[in-house]
Amino acid sequence: ACTHLKKAISIFPRQTNALFLLGKYLTLEGSYEEAMDYLRQYNLLKPYNADAYRILGYCAYKLGNLEIASDSFKRSLGLRWENPAVLYNQVQILMKQGHKMEAKKLVEYFAQMAPGHYLLGKLRDRYDL
């Protein structure tokens, strides 16, 4: 699929669906840096897709760039606050950065939004929040 999507993008570089799908599939392959390049191109053309920022944040997180990951997750949450996976990842980043109070506030919001969500339980088990 990635080969065909790259070929499509070479013909029509502003095709947003192909850019997004390629970024998503490259992420699944573990090609995080390449995925980030395509997702950034996508975000320049279509900046209101919370999932694109979520995937971009995940790639940055996997590469160890917590600043870009956090920024991407914040953008995703700014577009769609009710995303448990992004809330979970953002709390983990905040804890790694030593921002326990900010992480605690986010966990409290998470608990109001989805009180029985399994990711909330994982956060509470992992951190004393």
Side-chain angles (χ1 to χ4, degrees):
C2 291
T3 302
H4 293 294
L5 287 167
K6 286 179 183 179
K7 190 178 283 187
I9 291 168
S10 72
I11 295 167
F12 189 50
R14 296 175 59 91
Q15 208 319 319
T16 55
N17 289 334
L19 289 167
F20 177 73
L21 288 174
L22 184 55
K24 183 177 176 180
Y25 294 143
L26 287 168
T27 300
L28 293 172
E29 285 184 352
S31 300
Y32 303 121
E33 287 185 36
E34 190 177 6
M36 287 177 70
D37 289 338
Y38 286 105
L39 290 166
R40 284 182 177 127
Q41 290 176 48
Y42 173 85
N43 286 337
L44 288 173
L45 298 169
K46 203 169 184 181
Y48 301 109
N49 184 337
D51 291 326
Y53 288 108
R54 176 183 53 83
I55 297 168
L56 182 65
Y58 176 79
C59 291
Y61 182 81
K62 292 300 272 185
L63 292 170
N65 192 328
L66 298 183
E67 188 175 317
I68 291 175
S70 181
D71 181 61
S72 298
F73 290 143
K74 285 177 185 176
R75 289 174 185 254
S76 180
L77 291 171
L79 294 167
R80 189 174 67 224
W81 261 97
E82 70 282 352
N83 191 328
V86 177
L87 289 166
Y88 174 80
N89 288 324
Q90 184 65 8
V91 169
Q92 290 197 112
I93 289 172
L94 290 168
M95 291 302 291
K96 283 184 178 187
Q97 293 174 328
H99 303 296
K100 188 171 182 175
M101 292 306 295
E102 194 175 338
K104 186 174 178 139
K105 288 179 186 177
L106 204 51
V107 167
E108 288 170 4
Y109 170 78
F110 195 167
Q112 290 174 354
M113 183 197 71
H117 201 280
Y118 78 97
L119 289 175
L120 179 62
K122 284 178 73 171
L123 286 173
R124 287 186 169 157
D125 290 344
R126 183 172 294 157
Y127 309 109
D128 186 28
L129 299 173

